[in-house]
PDB file of all heavy atoms in Angstrom:
ATOM      1  N   GLY A 216       0.800  -1.235   0.002  1.00 93.00           N
ATOM      2  CA  GLY A 216      -0.020   0.021  -0.024  1.00 93.00           C
ATOM      3  C   GLY A 216       0.784   1.264  -0.010  1.00 93.00           C
ATOM      4  O   GLY A 216       0.262   2.352  -0.019  1.00 93.00           O
ATOM      5  N   LEU A 217       2.184   1.116   0.021  1.00 91.00           N
ATOM      6  CA  LEU A 217       3.021   2.321  -0.102  1.00 91.00           C
ATOM      7  C   LEU A 217       2.815   2.973  -1.464  1.00 91.00           C
ATOM      8  O   LEU A 217       3.020   4.212  -1.640  1.00 91.00           O
ATOM      9  CB  LEU A 217       4.490   1.994   0.158  1.00 91.00           C
ATOM     10  CG  LEU A 217       4.982   2.055   1.564  1.00 91.00           C
ATOM     11  CD1 LEU A 217       4.950   3.436   2.115  1.00 91.00           C
ATOM     12  CD2 LEU A 217       4.250   1.088   2.538  1.00 91.00           C
ATOM     13  N   THR A 218       2.526   2.200  -2.478  1.00 92.00           N
ATOM     14  CA  THR A 218       2.148   2.656  -3.786  1.00 92.00           C
ATOM     15  C   THR A 218       0.655   2.205  -3.945  1.00 92.00           C
ATOM     16  O   THR A 218       0.346   1.060  -3.843  1.00 92.00           O
ATOM     17  CB  THR A 218       2.968   2.108  -4.891  1.00 92.00           C
ATOM     18  OG1 THR A 218       4.343   2.441  -4.686  1.00 92.00           O
ATOM     19  CG2 THR A 218       2.528   2.565  -6.238  1.00 92.00           C
ATOM     20  N   ALA A 219      -0.259   3.212  -4.076  1.00 95.00           N
ATOM     21  CA  ALA A 219      -1.684   2.916  -4.027  1.00 95.00           C
ATOM     22  C   ALA A 219      -2.455   3.653  -5.153  1.00 95.00           C
ATOM     23  O   ALA A 219      -2.099   4.805  -5.481  1.00 95.00           O
ATOM     24  CB  ALA A 219      -2.211   3.281  -2.658  1.00 95.00           C
ATOM     25  N   TYR A 220      -3.432   2.956  -5.701  1.00 97.00           N
ATOM     26  CA  TYR A 220      -4.308   3.552  -6.675  1.00 97.00           C
ATOM     27  C   TYR A 220      -5.787   3.263  -6.328  1.00 97.00           C
ATOM     28  O   TYR A 220      -6.096   2.113  -5.881  1.00 97.00           O
ATOM     29  CB  TYR A 220      -4.017   2.958  -8.098  1.00 97.00           C
ATOM     30  CG  TYR A 220      -2.773   3.402  -8.726  1.00 97.00           C
ATOM     31  CD1 TYR A 220      -1.548   2.771  -8.387  1.00 97.00           C
ATOM     32  CD2 TYR A 220      -2.782   4.484  -9.593  1.00 97.00           C
ATOM     33  CE1 TYR A 220      -0.341   3.258  -8.973  1.00 97.00           C
ATOM     34  CE2 TYR A 220      -1.534   4.917 -10.209  1.00 97.00           C
ATOM     35  CZ  TYR A 220      -0.345   4.283  -9.838  1.00 97.00           C
ATOM     36  OH  TYR A 220       0.772   4.752 -10.382  1.00 97.00           O
ATOM     37  N   ARG A 221      -6.607   4.191  -6.492  1.00 97.00           N
ATOM     38  CA  ARG A 221      -8.078   4.076  -6.378  1.00 97.00           C
ATOM     39  C   ARG A 221      -8.708   4.375  -7.737  1.00 97.00           C
ATOM     40  O   ARG A 221      -8.627   5.532  -8.199  1.00 97.00           O
ATOM     41  CB  ARG A 221      -8.618   4.990  -5.281  1.00 97.00           C
ATOM     42  CG  ARG A 221     -10.161   4.933  -5.127  1.00 97.00           C
ATOM     43  CD  ARG A 221     -10.624   6.093  -4.288  1.00 97.00           C
ATOM     44  NE  ARG A 221     -12.081   6.226  -4.277  1.00 97.00           N
ATOM     45  CZ  ARG A 221     -12.879   5.856  -3.279  1.00 97.00           C
ATOM     46  NH1 ARG A 221     -12.353   5.384  -2.126  1.00 97.00           N
ATOM     47  NH2 ARG A 221     -14.158   6.008  -3.406  1.00 97.00           N
ATOM     48  N   GLN A 222      -9.269   3.402  -8.396  1.00 95.00           N
ATOM     49  CA  GLN A 222      -9.886   3.533  -9.681  1.00 95.00           C
ATOM     50  C   GLN A 222      -9.040   4.290 -10.656  1.00 95.00           C
ATOM     51  O   GLN A 222      -9.450   5.275 -11.286  1.00 95.00           O
ATOM     52  CB  GLN A 222     -11.276   4.119  -9.545  1.00 95.00           C
ATOM     53  CG  GLN A 222     -12.245   3.193  -8.773  1.00 95.00           C
ATOM     54  CD  GLN A 222     -13.660   3.512  -9.044  1.00 95.00           C
ATOM     55  OE1 GLN A 222     -14.126   4.634  -8.807  1.00 95.00           O
ATOM     56  NE2 GLN A 222     -14.410   2.496  -9.489  1.00 95.00           N
ATOM     57  N   GLY A 223      -7.701   3.894 -10.676  1.00 94.00           N
ATOM     58  CA  GLY A 223      -6.827   4.463 -11.685  1.00 94.00           C
ATOM     59  C   GLY A 223      -6.111   5.741 -11.249  1.00 94.00           C
ATOM     60  O   GLY A 223      -5.199   6.225 -11.927  1.00 94.00           O
ATOM     61  N   THR A 224      -6.537   6.310 -10.087  1.00 95.00           N
ATOM     62  CA  THR A 224      -5.876   7.533  -9.610  1.00 95.00           C
ATOM     63  C   THR A 224      -4.876   7.256  -8.484  1.00 95.00           C
ATOM     64  O   THR A 224      -5.257   6.563  -7.513  1.00 95.00           O
ATOM     65  CB  THR A 224      -6.921   8.488  -9.109  1.00 95.00           C
ATOM     66  OG1 THR A 224      -7.864   8.799 -10.141  1.00 95.00           O
ATOM     67  CG2 THR A 224      -6.322   9.779  -8.569  1.00 95.00           C
ATOM     68  N   ALA A 225      -3.678   7.738  -8.578  1.00 95.00           N
ATOM     69  CA  ALA A 225      -2.644   7.526  -7.581  1.00 95.00           C
ATOM     70  C   ALA A 225      -3.004   8.182  -6.261  1.00 95.00           C
ATOM     71  O   ALA A 225      -3.492   9.313  -6.227  1.00 95.00           O
ATOM     72  CB  ALA A 225      -1.299   8.018  -8.046  1.00 95.00           C
ATOM     73  N   LEU A 226      -2.777   7.456  -5.146  1.00 95.00           N
ATOM     74  CA  LEU A 226      -2.953   8.015  -3.780  1.00 95.00           C
ATOM     75  C   LEU A 226      -1.670   8.346  -3.192  1.00 95.00           C
ATOM     76  O   LEU A 226      -0.586   8.131  -3.777  1.00 95.00           O
ATOM     77  CB  LEU A 226      -3.708   6.966  -2.917  1.00 95.00           C
ATOM     78  CG  LEU A 226      -5.105   6.493  -3.477  1.00 95.00           C
ATOM     79  CD1 LEU A 226      -5.658   5.387  -2.639  1.00 95.00           C
ATOM     80  CD2 LEU A 226      -6.024   7.633  -3.558  1.00 95.00           C
ATOM     81  N   ALA A 227      -1.644   8.887  -1.990  1.00 87.00           N
ATOM     82  CA  ALA A 227      -0.411   9.348  -1.331  1.00 87.00           C
ATOM     83  C   ALA A 227       0.530   8.173  -1.142  1.00 87.00           C
ATOM     84  O   ALA A 227       0.191   7.049  -0.893  1.00 87.00           O
ATOM     85  CB  ALA A 227      -0.725   9.955   0.038  1.00 87.00           C
ATOM     86  N   SER A 228       1.910   8.405  -1.318  1.00 84.00           N
ATOM     87  CA  SER A 228       2.891   7.473  -1.205  1.00 84.00           C
ATOM     88  C   SER A 228       3.854   7.739  -0.071  1.00 84.00           C
ATOM     89  O   SER A 228       3.723   8.818   0.585  1.00 84.00           O
ATOM     90  CB  SER A 228       3.694   7.350  -2.500  1.00 84.00           C
ATOM     91  OG  SER A 228       4.569   6.308  -2.508  1.00 84.00           O
ATOM     92  N   ASN A 229       4.797   6.854   0.229  1.00 84.00           N
ATOM     93  CA  ASN A 229       5.794   7.026   1.221  1.00 84.00           C
ATOM     94  C   ASN A 229       7.054   6.314   0.828  1.00 84.00           C
ATOM     95  O   ASN A 229       7.071   5.535  -0.105  1.00 84.00           O
ATOM     96  CB  ASN A 229       5.316   6.552   2.572  1.00 84.00           C
ATOM     97  CG  ASN A 229       5.820   7.383   3.711  1.00 84.00           C
ATOM     98  OD1 ASN A 229       6.949   7.911   3.674  1.00 84.00           O
ATOM     99  ND2 ASN A 229       5.061   7.522   4.820  1.00 84.00           N
ATOM    100  N   SER A 230       8.117   6.528   1.568  1.00 90.00           N
ATOM    101  CA  SER A 230       9.436   5.991   1.162  1.00 90.00           C
ATOM    102  C   SER A 230      10.212   5.386   2.361  1.00 90.00           C
ATOM    103  O   SER A 230      10.342   6.011   3.389  1.00 90.00           O
ATOM    104  CB  SER A 230      10.288   7.067   0.491  1.00 90.00           C
ATOM    105  OG  SER A 230      11.662   6.731   0.446  1.00 90.00           O
ATOM    106  N   PHE A 231      10.723   4.176   2.175  1.00 94.00           N
ATOM    107  CA  PHE A 231      11.469   3.453   3.184  1.00 94.00           C
ATOM    108  C   PHE A 231      12.805   4.192   3.497  1.00 94.00           C
ATOM    109  O   PHE A 231      13.135   4.422   4.691  1.00 94.00           O
ATOM    110  CB  PHE A 231      11.807   2.046   2.662  1.00 94.00           C
ATOM    111  CG  PHE A 231      12.717   1.280   3.537  1.00 94.00           C
ATOM    112  CD1 PHE A 231      12.271   0.632   4.673  1.00 94.00           C
ATOM    113  CD2 PHE A 231      14.076   1.113   3.203  1.00 94.00           C
ATOM    114  CE1 PHE A 231      13.110  -0.116   5.487  1.00 94.00           C
ATOM    115  CE2 PHE A 231      14.932   0.352   3.976  1.00 94.00           C
ATOM    116  CZ  PHE A 231      14.466  -0.250   5.131  1.00 94.00           C
ATOM    117  N   ILE A 232      13.530   4.639   2.473  1.00 95.00           N
ATOM    118  CA  ILE A 232      14.832   5.273   2.692  1.00 95.00           C
ATOM    119  C   ILE A 232      14.676   6.631   3.330  1.00 95.00           C
ATOM    120  O   ILE A 232      15.519   6.988   4.185  1.00 95.00           O
ATOM    121  CB  ILE A 232      15.659   5.363   1.374  1.00 95.00           C
ATOM    122  CG1 ILE A 232      17.100   5.628   1.694  1.00 95.00           C
ATOM    123  CG2 ILE A 232      15.059   6.368   0.412  1.00 95.00           C
ATOM    124  CD1 ILE A 232      17.781   4.504   2.484  1.00 95.00           C
ATOM    125  N   THR A 233      13.654   7.344   3.003  1.00 92.00           N
ATOM    126  CA  THR A 233      13.378   8.638   3.717  1.00 92.00           C
ATOM    127  C   THR A 233      13.096   8.381   5.200  1.00 92.00           C
ATOM    128  O   THR A 233      13.625   9.197   6.043  1.00 92.00           O
ATOM    129  CB  THR A 233      12.168   9.336   3.069  1.00 92.00           C
ATOM    130  OG1 THR A 233      12.454   9.613   1.718  1.00 92.00           O
ATOM    131  CG2 THR A 233      11.838  10.677   3.742  1.00 92.00           C
ATOM    132  N   TRP A 234      12.362   7.390   5.491  1.00 95.00           N
ATOM    133  CA  TRP A 234      12.013   7.060   6.888  1.00 95.00           C
ATOM    134  C   TRP A 234      13.246   6.611   7.683  1.00 95.00           C
ATOM    135  O   TRP A 234      13.507   7.047   8.765  1.00 95.00           O
ATOM    136  CB  TRP A 234      10.927   5.976   6.924  1.00 95.00           C
ATOM    137  CG  TRP A 234      10.499   5.575   8.256  1.00 95.00           C
ATOM    138  CD1 TRP A 234       9.489   6.164   9.022  1.00 95.00           C
ATOM    139  CD2 TRP A 234      11.031   4.523   9.066  1.00 95.00           C
ATOM    140  NE1 TRP A 234       9.387   5.576  10.214  1.00 95.00           N
ATOM    141  CE2 TRP A 234      10.289   4.561  10.296  1.00 95.00           C
ATOM    142  CE3 TRP A 234      12.022   3.599   8.895  1.00 95.00           C
ATOM    143  CZ2 TRP A 234      10.557   3.624  11.331  1.00 95.00           C
ATOM    144  CZ3 TRP A 234      12.331   2.710   9.923  1.00 95.00           C
ATOM    145  CH2 TRP A 234      11.576   2.688  11.131  1.00 95.00           C
ATOM    146  N   LEU A 235      14.051   5.692   7.058  1.00 97.00           N
ATOM    147  CA  LEU A 235      15.150   5.053   7.815  1.00 97.00           C
ATOM    148  C   LEU A 235      16.427   5.967   7.780  1.00 97.00           C
ATOM    149  O   LEU A 235      17.117   6.119   8.807  1.00 97.00           O
ATOM    150  CB  LEU A 235      15.483   3.747   7.240  1.00 97.00           C
ATOM    151  CG  LEU A 235      16.569   2.909   7.924  1.00 97.00           C
ATOM    152  CD1 LEU A 235      16.109   2.622   9.348  1.00 97.00           C
ATOM    153  CD2 LEU A 235      16.847   1.606   7.192  1.00 97.00           C
ATOM    154  N   GLY A 236      16.699   6.551   6.641  1.00 97.00           N
ATOM    155  CA  GLY A 236      17.920   7.359   6.428  1.00 97.00           C
ATOM    156  C   GLY A 236      19.094   6.566   5.956  1.00 97.00           C
ATOM    157  O   GLY A 236      19.273   5.329   6.312  1.00 97.00           O
ATOM    158  N   GLU A 237      19.957   7.202   5.135  1.00 97.00           N
ATOM    159  CA  GLU A 237      21.055   6.440   4.549  1.00 97.00           C
ATOM    160  C   GLU A 237      22.056   5.918   5.560  1.00 97.00           C
ATOM    161  O   GLU A 237      22.636   4.882   5.431  1.00 97.00           O
ATOM    162  CB  GLU A 237      21.761   7.353   3.528  1.00 97.00           C
ATOM    163  CG  GLU A 237      22.606   6.706   2.468  1.00 97.00           C
ATOM    164  CD  GLU A 237      21.789   5.876   1.479  1.00 97.00           C
ATOM    165  OE1 GLU A 237      20.780   6.459   0.937  1.00 97.00           O
ATOM    166  OE2 GLU A 237      22.039   4.662   1.324  1.00 97.00           O
ATOM    167  N   ASP A 238      22.313   6.706   6.592  1.00 98.00           N
ATOM    168  CA  ASP A 238      23.332   6.347   7.600  1.00 98.00           C
ATOM    169  C   ASP A 238      22.906   5.083   8.364  1.00 98.00           C
ATOM    170  O   ASP A 238      23.796   4.384   8.867  1.00 98.00           O
ATOM    171  CB  ASP A 238      23.557   7.517   8.593  1.00 98.00           C
ATOM    172  CG  ASP A 238      24.288   8.669   7.975  1.00 98.00           C
ATOM    173  OD1 ASP A 238      24.869   8.502   6.892  1.00 98.00           O
ATOM    174  OD2 ASP A 238      24.281   9.776   8.523  1.00 98.00           O
ATOM    175  N   ARG A 239      21.626   4.857   8.506  1.00 98.00           N
ATOM    176  CA  ARG A 239      21.208   3.627   9.195  1.00 98.00           C
ATOM    177  C   ARG A 239      21.003   2.501   8.185  1.00 98.00           C
ATOM    178  O   ARG A 239      21.099   1.369   8.612  1.00 98.00           O
ATOM    179  CB  ARG A 239      19.880   3.876   9.941  1.00 98.00           C
ATOM    180  CG  ARG A 239      19.980   5.049  10.976  1.00 98.00           C
ATOM    181  CD  ARG A 239      18.707   5.174  11.740  1.00 98.00           C
ATOM    182  NE  ARG A 239      18.674   4.303  12.979  1.00 98.00           N
ATOM    183  CZ  ARG A 239      17.577   3.885  13.551  1.00 98.00           C
ATOM    184  NH1 ARG A 239      16.392   4.201  13.069  1.00 98.00           N
ATOM    185  NH2 ARG A 239      17.629   3.161  14.659  1.00 98.00           N
ATOM    186  N   TYR A 240      20.688   2.830   6.999  1.00 98.00           N
ATOM    187  CA  TYR A 240      20.486   1.760   5.944  1.00 98.00           C
ATOM    188  C   TYR A 240      21.728   1.049   5.645  1.00 98.00           C
ATOM    189  O   TYR A 240      21.749  -0.180   5.505  1.00 98.00           O
ATOM    190  CB  TYR A 240      19.821   2.360   4.734  1.00 98.00           C
ATOM    191  CG  TYR A 240      19.697   1.291   3.628  1.00 98.00           C
ATOM    192  CD1 TYR A 240      18.890   0.188   3.757  1.00 98.00           C
ATOM    193  CD2 TYR A 240      20.453   1.416   2.455  1.00 98.00           C
ATOM    194  CE1 TYR A 240      18.785  -0.743   2.762  1.00 98.00           C
ATOM    195  CE2 TYR A 240      20.356   0.458   1.429  1.00 98.00           C
ATOM    196  CZ  TYR A 240      19.564  -0.650   1.603  1.00 98.00           C
ATOM    197  OH  TYR A 240      19.477  -1.582   0.602  1.00 98.00           O
ATOM    198  N   LYS A 241      22.853   1.765   5.436  1.00 98.00           N
ATOM    199  CA  LYS A 241      24.097   1.129   5.012  1.00 98.00           C
ATOM    200  C   LYS A 241      24.545   0.013   5.957  1.00 98.00           C
ATOM    201  O   LYS A 241      24.955  -1.028   5.454  1.00 98.00           O
ATOM    202  CB  LYS A 241      25.175   2.204   4.807  1.00 98.00           C
ATOM    203  CG  LYS A 241      24.957   2.964   3.487  1.00 98.00           C
ATOM    204  CD  LYS A 241      26.189   3.851   3.149  1.00 98.00           C
ATOM    205  CE  LYS A 241      26.224   5.085   4.088  1.00 98.00           C
ATOM    206  NZ  LYS A 241      27.252   6.044   3.661  1.00 98.00           N
ATOM    207  N   PRO A 242      24.618   0.261   7.265  1.00 98.00           N
ATOM    208  CA  PRO A 242      25.027  -0.890   8.141  1.00 98.00           C
ATOM    209  C   PRO A 242      24.055  -2.130   8.019  1.00 98.00           C
ATOM    210  O   PRO A 242      24.504  -3.259   8.079  1.00 98.00           O
ATOM    211  CB  PRO A 242      24.928  -0.299   9.570  1.00 98.00           C
ATOM    212  CG  PRO A 242      25.056   1.183   9.295  1.00 98.00           C
ATOM    213  CD  PRO A 242      24.369   1.496   8.062  1.00 98.00           C
ATOM    214  N   LEU A 243      22.833  -1.859   7.841  1.00 98.00           N
ATOM    215  CA  LEU A 243      21.828  -2.941   7.613  1.00 98.00           C
ATOM    216  C   LEU A 243      22.159  -3.732   6.393  1.00 98.00           C
ATOM    217  O   LEU A 243      22.244  -4.978   6.369  1.00 98.00           O
ATOM    218  CB  LEU A 243      20.420  -2.383   7.610  1.00 98.00           C
ATOM    219  CG  LEU A 243      19.312  -3.367   7.314  1.00 98.00           C
ATOM    220  CD1 LEU A 243      19.147  -4.412   8.425  1.00 98.00           C
ATOM    221  CD2 LEU A 243      17.965  -2.633   7.093  1.00 98.00           C
ATOM    222  N   ALA A 244      22.288  -3.001   5.270  1.00 98.00           N
ATOM    223  CA  ALA A 244      22.606  -3.673   3.951  1.00 98.00           C
ATOM    224  C   ALA A 244      23.937  -4.403   4.020  1.00 98.00           C
ATOM    225  O   ALA A 244      24.051  -5.542   3.537  1.00 98.00           O
ATOM    226  CB  ALA A 244      22.642  -2.643   2.813  1.00 98.00           C
ATOM    227  N   ASN A 245      24.893  -3.820   4.655  1.00 98.00           N
ATOM    228  CA  ASN A 245      26.239  -4.405   4.702  1.00 98.00           C
ATOM    229  C   ASN A 245      26.140  -5.765   5.526  1.00 98.00           C
ATOM    230  O   ASN A 245      26.735  -6.795   5.149  1.00 98.00           O
ATOM    231  CB  ASN A 245      27.288  -3.534   5.422  1.00 98.00           C
ATOM    232  CG  ASN A 245      27.619  -2.373   4.495  1.00 98.00           C
ATOM    233  OD1 ASN A 245      27.437  -2.369   3.295  1.00 98.00           O
ATOM    234  ND2 ASN A 245      28.209  -1.308   5.081  1.00 98.00           N
ATOM    235  N   PHE A 246      25.472  -5.699   6.628  1.00 98.00           N
ATOM    236  CA  PHE A 246      25.324  -6.873   7.479  1.00 98.00           C
ATOM    237  C   PHE A 246      24.610  -8.014   6.731  1.00 98.00           C
ATOM    238  O   PHE A 246      25.045  -9.168   6.758  1.00 98.00           O
ATOM    239  CB  PHE A 246      24.533  -6.587   8.733  1.00 98.00           C
ATOM    240  CG  PHE A 246      24.413  -7.727   9.723  1.00 98.00           C
ATOM    241  CD1 PHE A 246      25.455  -7.957  10.645  1.00 98.00           C
ATOM    242  CD2 PHE A 246      23.353  -8.567   9.679  1.00 98.00           C
ATOM    243  CE1 PHE A 246      25.330  -9.008  11.530  1.00 98.00           C
ATOM    244  CE2 PHE A 246      23.287  -9.665  10.534  1.00 98.00           C
ATOM    245  CZ  PHE A 246      24.238  -9.876  11.458  1.00 98.00           C
ATOM    246  N   ILE A 247      23.527  -7.712   5.986  1.00 98.00           N
ATOM    247  CA  ILE A 247      22.773  -8.669   5.239  1.00 98.00           C
ATOM    248  C   ILE A 247      23.677  -9.326   4.142  1.00 98.00           C
ATOM    249  O   ILE A 247      23.656 -10.605   4.055  1.00 98.00           O
ATOM    250  CB  ILE A 247      21.553  -8.063   4.593  1.00 98.00           C
ATOM    251  CG1 ILE A 247      20.497  -7.680   5.623  1.00 98.00           C
ATOM    252  CG2 ILE A 247      20.941  -8.926   3.487  1.00 98.00           C
ATOM    253  CD1 ILE A 247      19.357  -6.784   5.177  1.00 98.00           C
ATOM    254  N   LEU A 248      24.445  -8.533   3.504  1.00 98.00           N
ATOM    255  CA  LEU A 248      25.303  -9.079   2.418  1.00 98.00           C
ATOM    256  C   LEU A 248      26.400  -9.974   2.985  1.00 98.00           C
ATOM    257  O   LEU A 248      26.727 -11.049   2.392  1.00 98.00           O
ATOM    258  CB  LEU A 248      25.856  -7.982   1.525  1.00 98.00           C
ATOM    259  CG  LEU A 248      24.769  -7.207   0.689  1.00 98.00           C
ATOM    260  CD1 LEU A 248      25.398  -5.968   0.099  1.00 98.00           C
ATOM    261  CD2 LEU A 248      24.220  -8.132  -0.332  1.00 98.00           C
ATOM    262  N   HIS A 249      27.021  -9.533   4.074  1.00 98.00           N
ATOM    263  CA  HIS A 249      28.011 -10.412   4.766  1.00 98.00           C
ATOM    264  C   HIS A 249      27.377 -11.682   5.237  1.00 98.00           C
ATOM    265  O   HIS A 249      27.940 -12.767   5.094  1.00 98.00           O
ATOM    266  CB  HIS A 249      28.627  -9.653   5.920  1.00 98.00           C
ATOM    267  CG  HIS A 249      29.683  -8.696   5.566  1.00 98.00           C
ATOM    268  ND1 HIS A 249      30.882  -9.110   5.032  1.00 98.00           N
ATOM    269  CD2 HIS A 249      29.694  -7.320   5.581  1.00 98.00           C
ATOM    270  CE1 HIS A 249      31.651  -8.050   4.804  1.00 98.00           C
ATOM    271  NE2 HIS A 249      30.992  -6.955   5.102  1.00 98.00           N
ATOM    272  N   TYR A 250      26.214 -11.636   5.804  1.00 98.00           N
ATOM    273  CA  TYR A 250      25.523 -12.839   6.300  1.00 98.00           C
ATOM    274  C   TYR A 250      25.221 -13.799   5.153  1.00 98.00           C
ATOM    275  O   TYR A 250      25.494 -15.039   5.325  1.00 98.00           O
ATOM    276  CB  TYR A 250      24.174 -12.376   6.942  1.00 98.00           C
ATOM    277  CG  TYR A 250      23.378 -13.493   7.677  1.00 98.00           C
ATOM    278  CD1 TYR A 250      23.466 -13.664   9.012  1.00 98.00           C
ATOM    279  CD2 TYR A 250      22.658 -14.403   6.926  1.00 98.00           C
ATOM    280  CE1 TYR A 250      22.763 -14.731   9.683  1.00 98.00           C
ATOM    281  CE2 TYR A 250      21.939 -15.458   7.560  1.00 98.00           C
ATOM    282  CZ  TYR A 250      22.031 -15.552   8.920  1.00 98.00           C
ATOM    283  OH  TYR A 250      21.315 -16.609   9.567  1.00 98.00           O
ATOM    284  N   ILE A 251      24.747 -13.290   4.045  1.00 98.00           N
ATOM    285  CA  ILE A 251      24.417 -14.202   2.930  1.00 98.00           C
ATOM    286  C   ILE A 251      25.725 -14.772   2.346  1.00 98.00           C
ATOM    287  O   ILE A 251      25.750 -15.940   1.956  1.00 98.00           O
ATOM    288  CB  ILE A 251      23.629 -13.427   1.829  1.00 98.00           C
ATOM    289  CG1 ILE A 251      22.189 -13.143   2.390  1.00 98.00           C
ATOM    290  CG2 ILE A 251      23.524 -14.225   0.514  1.00 98.00           C
ATOM    291  CD1 ILE A 251      21.353 -12.226   1.475  1.00 98.00           C
ATOM    292  N   ALA A 252      26.794 -13.960   2.269  1.00 98.00           N
ATOM    293  CA  ALA A 252      28.074 -14.477   1.749  1.00 98.00           C
ATOM    294  C   ALA A 252      28.575 -15.684   2.584  1.00 98.00           C
ATOM    295  O   ALA A 252      29.197 -16.546   2.037  1.00 98.00           O
ATOM    296  CB  ALA A 252      29.080 -13.355   1.806  1.00 98.00           C
ATOM    297  N   ASP A 253      28.272 -15.711   3.846  1.00 97.00           N
ATOM    298  CA  ASP A 253      28.741 -16.776   4.707  1.00 97.00           C
ATOM    299  C   ASP A 253      27.789 -17.934   4.818  1.00 97.00           C
ATOM    300  O   ASP A 253      28.066 -18.947   5.436  1.00 97.00           O
ATOM    301  CB  ASP A 253      29.006 -16.241   6.162  1.00 97.00           C
ATOM    302  CG  ASP A 253      30.133 -15.271   6.193  1.00 97.00           C
ATOM    303  OD1 ASP A 253      31.039 -15.366   5.359  1.00 97.00           O
ATOM    304  OD2 ASP A 253      30.141 -14.433   7.134  1.00 97.00           O
ATOM    305  N   LEU A 254      26.568 -17.808   4.155  1.00 97.00           N
ATOM    306  CA  LEU A 254      25.597 -18.906   4.190  1.00 97.00           C
ATOM    307  C   LEU A 254      26.025 -20.077   3.323  1.00 97.00           C
ATOM    308  O   LEU A 254      26.541 -19.882   2.211  1.00 97.00           O
ATOM    309  CB  LEU A 254      24.223 -18.432   3.625  1.00 97.00           C
ATOM    310  CG  LEU A 254      23.224 -17.802   4.582  1.00 97.00           C
ATOM    311  CD1 LEU A 254      21.987 -17.471   3.774  1.00 97.00           C
ATOM    312  CD2 LEU A 254      22.893 -18.735   5.748  1.00 97.00           C
ATOM    313  N   ASP A 255      25.881 -21.266   3.865  1.00 95.00           N
ATOM    314  CA  ASP A 255      26.169 -22.508   3.108  1.00 95.00           C
ATOM    315  C   ASP A 255      24.839 -23.094   2.675  1.00 95.00           C
ATOM    316  O   ASP A 255      24.223 -23.861   3.376  1.00 95.00           O
ATOM    317  CB  ASP A 255      26.956 -23.485   3.924  1.00 95.00           C
ATOM    318  CG  ASP A 255      27.333 -24.715   3.110  1.00 95.00           C
ATOM    319  OD1 ASP A 255      27.281 -24.666   1.905  1.00 95.00           O
ATOM    320  OD2 ASP A 255      27.750 -25.717   3.775  1.00 95.00           O
ATOM    321  N   ILE A 256      24.375 -22.682   1.477  1.00 97.00           N
ATOM    322  CA  ILE A 256      23.117 -23.246   0.903  1.00 97.00           C
ATOM    323  C   ILE A 256      23.429 -23.768  -0.432  1.00 97.00           C
ATOM    324  O   ILE A 256      24.427 -23.442  -1.079  1.00 97.00           O
ATOM    325  CB  ILE A 256      22.031 -22.155   0.851  1.00 97.00           C
ATOM    326  CG1 ILE A 256      22.503 -20.970   0.032  1.00 97.00           C
ATOM    327  CG2 ILE A 256      21.582 -21.775   2.242  1.00 97.00           C
ATOM    328  CD1 ILE A 256      21.390 -19.857  -0.089  1.00 97.00           C
ATOM    329  N   PRO A 257      22.596 -24.700  -1.000  1.00 95.00           N
ATOM    330  CA  PRO A 257      22.909 -25.390  -2.239  1.00 95.00           C
ATOM    331  C   PRO A 257      23.149 -24.478  -3.424  1.00 95.00           C
ATOM    332  O   PRO A 257      24.005 -24.755  -4.286  1.00 95.00           O
ATOM    333  CB  PRO A 257      21.700 -26.252  -2.452  1.00 95.00           C
ATOM    334  CG  PRO A 257      21.084 -26.510  -1.133  1.00 95.00           C
ATOM    335  CD  PRO A 257      21.349 -25.221  -0.373  1.00 95.00           C
ATOM    336  N   VAL A 258      22.402 -23.408  -3.528  1.00 95.00           N
ATOM    337  CA  VAL A 258      22.459 -22.494  -4.766  1.00 95.00           C
ATOM    338  C   VAL A 258      22.492 -21.057  -4.326  1.00 95.00           C
ATOM    339  O   VAL A 258      21.741 -20.692  -3.362  1.00 95.00           O
ATOM    340  CB  VAL A 258      21.311 -22.868  -5.734  1.00 95.00           C
ATOM    341  CG1 VAL A 258      21.178 -21.805  -6.778  1.00 95.00           C
ATOM    342  CG2 VAL A 258      21.452 -24.227  -6.323  1.00 95.00           C
TER     343      VAL A 258
END
């Protein structure tokens, strides 16, 4: 519902990065990528 339409007309939207901020997002993204890099899964 962050992107929303009512009968073809766009409604108010919002943004994850505006809410969280770049300074807080980067440590989260870095941690996720390191975690996945260390995962031992088949593919």
Side-chain angles (χ1 to χ4, degrees):
L217 271 295
T218 300
Y220 287 85
R221 176 192 171 107
Q222 294 202 302
T224 301
L226 302 174
S228 186
N229 212 331
S230 163
F231 174 79
I232 195 64
T233 299
W234 180 89
L235 186 62
E237 200 69 52
D238 288 344
R239 301 184 90 205
Y240 174 65
K241 282 189 288 188
L243 175 66
N245 289 344
F246 184 87
I247 288 168
L248 292 171
H249 279 292
Y250 185 101
I251 292 173
D253 292 335
L254 271 181
D255 184 16
I256 55 177
V258 167

